[in-house]
Amino acid sequence: MTQYPVIQLYIDGTWRQTAESLPVINPADETTIGKTPIATRADLDDALAAAERGFKLWSATSPADRAAVIMRAAAIMRERQDEIARAITLEHGKPFEQARLEVIRGCEFFEWDAGEGLRTYGRVIPSKPGIRYVVVHQPIGTVAAFSPWNFPLSQPCRKVAGALAAGCSIILKAAEETPAGAVHIARALHDAGLPAGVMNLVFGIPSEISEYLIPHQQTRLVAFTGSTAVGKHLTEIAARHMKPVLMELGGHAPVIVCEDANPVASGRLSAVRKARNAGQVCTSPTRFFVHESIYKPFTDAFVERAKAVIVGNGFDPATEMGPLANHRRIEALETLVADARQKGARVLTGGERIQNRGYFFPVTVLADVPDDARAMREEPFGPLALINPVSSLDEAIEKANSLPFGLAAYAFTDSAFNVDQLVQRVEAGNLSINTLEASVPETPFGGVKESGYGREGGAEGLSHYTVVKNVSHQMRYS
């Protein structure tokens, strides 16, 4: 039997346990597999003090030496990828191979940011003789970071890598439902020689931790990935204390399928991608606007492939999609499907829980979904696809932009004119054409409108972990 790791807090370079804890549930069979410790106020005070000491040391460490530690940690996680992936499958439910790919992706974030940390260049501004203006980028300070449950390792990796590469210290509050990924990150950094206090890991009651950490003077930046509602709340707290934020929030990704697209190939690819992580992805393709001339073949291909998706335990090699994370996701999807059906949508496949034990729900396809259905306005965060016909690219873009979200958007077309229109007019931080991959480590990732503020990844990502200082130096004074 696969063993689940002991979950502990990591503060000032040491591991600690607490008196109170929360259960970790395996979503495939609803058994308790571990306990997540709840940090006390004293634990948080220790983490803040440790991070302040850690920042003084780490920010004074050369970028090359910082990069070496981060790269060693990435190498350690690559060596331990099977062990880490097994823990992720246990706590999250995703298929083991997908969990292993997540570990590799997290390592790639570490490796990219380690290299990019060597290139946080400043500049010299031309001036008159006798005076020099120099712009430098310096690490912002201690980061309070909050990561979600849907990607237990890669999401915290993204924040930890950016903060450390820029020279910051970090207090990471990872997800209590899926804590093992963050624990393995801390272990790898510890074993790679990261100085004590530079990274600290806590768990607990999310609202209590955020409301305590954010106002403290030591906290200089708030980085969060999660729902728009929570992101707005944390931003309000940060604003009261003039703290900058990095917010990667919810989405409701549209997919525009133009009349020149291959309906069968794009339909099948879309169904496979909809099943990724059981649809529990902020960039998951959800609202499909398909040109009416190819609507039927696209929908038929999508439904055929969706029905063929094998749902089961993540340790079964045949499994393509694991369970949802918890019972709340089951209830949310059932409510959205019922509402859409009542408003006239057609259920082409799925729509009901598969069995009574384990949080299994099939890829569900709704067609002809009216605009006033809740599913068309609320992020389902599950394997739910909504397919509607449109008469033109203009109509598709209008519908794609109709929501307050703008994280990811997708399109299928071979027309250069269509591509130009999509690039210019679609409101999203990430637009992918003829692919359903929203981001890679070397590209910036983030949203517009209510999908967030700031960017993670790419050359742009590290800028949020730094402050810009202008130095004016006059050679002589009188």
Side-chain angles (χ1 to χ4, degrees), residues 111 115 222 375 393:
E111 291 155 356
V222 180
L393 179 59

Side-chain angles (χ1 to χ4, degrees), residues 71-148:
M71 290 294 289
R72 281 199 298 272
I76 290 170
M77 286 191 288
R78 283 185 179 274
E79 293 171 359
R80 299 171 181 173
Q81 61 184 265
D82 286 353
E83 176 189 356
I84 301 171
R86 283 192 291 269
I88 292 173
T89 296
L90 278 171
E91 67 183 8
H92 181 278
K94 67 181 66 181
F96 174 76
E97 281 304 311
Q98 292 183 25
R100 195 170 61 81
L101 289 174
E102 181 184 340
V103 178
I104 294 172
R105 183 175 173 82
C107 294
E108 290 172 346
F109 289 143
F110 266 47
E111 291 155 356
W112 167 263
D113 282 340
E116 193 62 22
L118 302 174
R119 295 183 288 272
T120 52
Y121 304 131
R123 62 193 173 104
V124 177
I125 299 172
S127 60
K128 65 183 180 181
I131 189 168
R132 179 167 295 166
Y133 301 115
V134 179
V135 177
V136 295
H137 296 265
Q138 297 179 319
I140 194 169
T142 295
V143 178
F146 304 86
S147 61

